[in-house]
């Protein structure tokens, strides 16, 4: 029986959980994991075999995974693209962090204009900007703290002629704190971190999970979803009790703890082959 908090934690999409699994157990090993092992691990957090197989198939189709047969068993390894995605997630978790303590006072602004006939491109650009930490300051104008290189985003979408990017500093009467409040939903960001703390800041987090292998997978998925949505705002512009600070400390403590407690269990549970 799962509690309400557990059910909320388990609500992550199977692909998000799969990316966490691959980052934890496959990335950097030059290996492929047996599908039955993946199904075993995901069964511990109530993800069905059908959902796992469907997710693996979709990720193969999207160029994220490769299939490798050994007898009757099928193993899944990472493509170069998947490695890049997972390495980016690793940087978000361990290097970038949840709070920007190195802000130099500059802002990157991006303006664009696309006709309704290019609605899909507009959606993709907005999604990429949000992922890169931009917030909507006003119609058609996005802003992020620090000097951000948006070249890769624009090049990938083929929108060089539609986007204007520049760096600047605010001037009176505008205050940096005002820009943060206008462009970013601070209440929503803080609420997500408080929800994380509610689920994990406990002597016995995720009590319905059968073991730490399951808890480790859900913890990393929860945290990566948080930092993917976090614009990495300057600490100087946030309240002293900004919940991301405590949440990040808690995540790092639990991540190191589960890394130690799951090492042997993961070795026994996850069948892998070298590539």
């Amino acid at each position: 029986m799962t509690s309400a908090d557990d059910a909320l934690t388990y609500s992550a999409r199977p692909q998000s959980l799969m990316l966490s699994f691959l980052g934890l157990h496959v990335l950097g090993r030059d290996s492929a994991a047996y599908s039955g092992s993946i199904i075993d691990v995901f069964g511990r957090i109530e993800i069905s075999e059908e959902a796992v197989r469907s997710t693996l198939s979709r990720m193969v189709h999207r160029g994220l995974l490769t299939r490798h047969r050994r007898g009757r068993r099928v193993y899944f390894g990472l493509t170069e693209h998947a490695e890049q995605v997972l390495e980016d997630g690793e940087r978000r978790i361990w290097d970038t962090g949840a709070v920007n303590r190195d802000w130099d006072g500059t802002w990157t602004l991006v303006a664009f204009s696309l006709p309704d006939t290019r609605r899909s491109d507009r959606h993709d650009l907005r999604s990429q900007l949000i992922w890169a930490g931009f917030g909507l300051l006003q119609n058609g104008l996005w802003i992020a703290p620090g000097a951000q290189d948006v070249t890769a985003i624009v090049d990938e979408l083929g929108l060089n002629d539609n986007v204007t990017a520049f760096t600047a500093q605010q001037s009176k009467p505008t205050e940096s704190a005002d820009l943060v409040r206008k462009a970013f939903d601070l209440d929503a960001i803080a609420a997500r971190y408080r929800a994380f703390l509610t689920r994990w800041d406990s002597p016995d987090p995720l009590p319905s999970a059968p073991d730490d292998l399951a808890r480790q997978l859900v913890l990393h998925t929860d945290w990566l979803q948080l930092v993917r949505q976090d614009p990495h705002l300057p600490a100087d512009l946030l309240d002293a009790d900004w919940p991301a600070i405590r949440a990040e400390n808690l995540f790092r403590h639990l991540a190191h703890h589960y890394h130690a407690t799951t090492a042997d269990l993961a070795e026994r549970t996850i069948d892998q082959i070298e590539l």
Side-chain angles (χ1 to χ4, degrees):
M1 178 70 68
T2 60
S3 70
D5 284 343
D6 286 354
L8 180 60
T9 307
Y10 289 168
S11 68
R13 292 186 305 136
Q15 181 164 310
S16 297
L17 290 158
M18 189 66 71
L19 289 170
S20 292
F21 174 89
L22 296 168
L24 285 165
H25 303 295
V26 181
L27 181 65
R29 295 171 179 254
D30 293 324
S31 68
Y34 170 46
S35 60
S37 298
I38 303 173
I39 290 167
D40 181 348
V41 174
F42 277 60
R44 299 166 191 235
I45 54 172
E46 303 176 358
I47 304 296
S48 70
E49 177 178 344
E50 180 183 3
V52 172
R53 293 192 184 279
S54 176
T55 300
L56 290 170
S57 295
R58 284 198 305 271
M59 294 178 74
V60 169
H61 182 70
R62 292 180 56 201
L64 293 168
L65 294 177
T66 55
R67 286 190 178 95
H68 305 268
R69 290 192 177 274
R70 295 293 187 274
R72 300 180 62 183
R73 293 194 167 193
V74 179
Y75 295 76
F76 290 86
L78 304 176
T79 64
E80 183 177 348
H81 177 48
E83 289 179 349
Q84 292 172 352
V85 171
L86 294 174
E87 286 167 357
D88 184 47
E90 290 266 292
R91 286 191 293 271
R92 287 293 183 101
I93 289 175
W94 298 108
D95 298 337
T96 303
V99 179
N100 184 346
R101 296 178 175 86
D102 302 313
W103 183 55
D104 62 0
T106 63
W107 297 91
T108 298
L109 291 92
V110 172
F112 65 88
S113 178
L114 290 165
D116 286 341
T117 55
R118 302 188 67 180
R119 188 173 302 170
S120 177
D121 288 337
R122 190 164 56 200
H123 170 77
D124 290 344
L125 179 56
R126 287 171 174 166
S127 297
Q128 290 288 338
L129 288 173
I130 291 171
W131 164 244
F134 283 81
L136 182 61
L137 184 61
Q138 60 187 56
N139 190 31
L141 182 62
W142 294 72
I143 188 170
Q148 309 288 336
D149 185 1
V150 298
T151 305
I153 295 174
V154 175
D155 286 348
E156 180 181 347
L157 298 175
L159 298 176
N160 288 279
D161 294 335
N162 304 92
V163 172
T164 300
F166 51 96
T167 58
Q169 292 184 323
Q170 94 290 344
S171 60
K172 297 293 184 180
T174 302
E175 298 289 346
S176 291
D178 295 333
L179 294 176
V180 167
R181 284 191 294 269
K182 289 178 180 178
F184 303 97
D185 190 341
L186 297 183
D187 290 340
I189 296 170
R192 290 194 290 267
Y193 281 110
R194 293 192 182 100
F196 178 87
L197 288 165
T198 298
R199 291 196 291 272
W200 292 101
D201 194 8
S202 162
D204 182 25
L206 219 61
S208 71
D211 52 41
D212 282 353
L213 192 62
R215 293 185 184 91
Q216 180 190 47
L217 177 58
V218 178
L219 172 74
H220 278 256
T221 305
D222 271 5
W223 186 250
L224 186 55
Q225 288 184 322
L226 266 180
V227 296
R228 281 179 181 272
Q229 298 177 78
D230 192 313
H232 199 52
L233 299 173
D236 292 346
L237 306 179
L238 302 170
D239 294 339
D241 61 348
W242 184 245
I245 299 172
R246 187 159 66 94
E248 182 173 60
N249 290 336
L250 175 63
F251 165 76
R252 290 174 181 261
H253 167 74
L254 289 174
H256 289 302
H257 172 70
Y258 293 145
H259 177 75
T261 61
T262 62
D264 291 341
L265 179 58
E267 187 70 23
R268 296 193 306 270
T269 303
I270 304 170
D271 176 17
Q272 300 193 60
I273 56 171
E274 293 184 1
L275 297 179

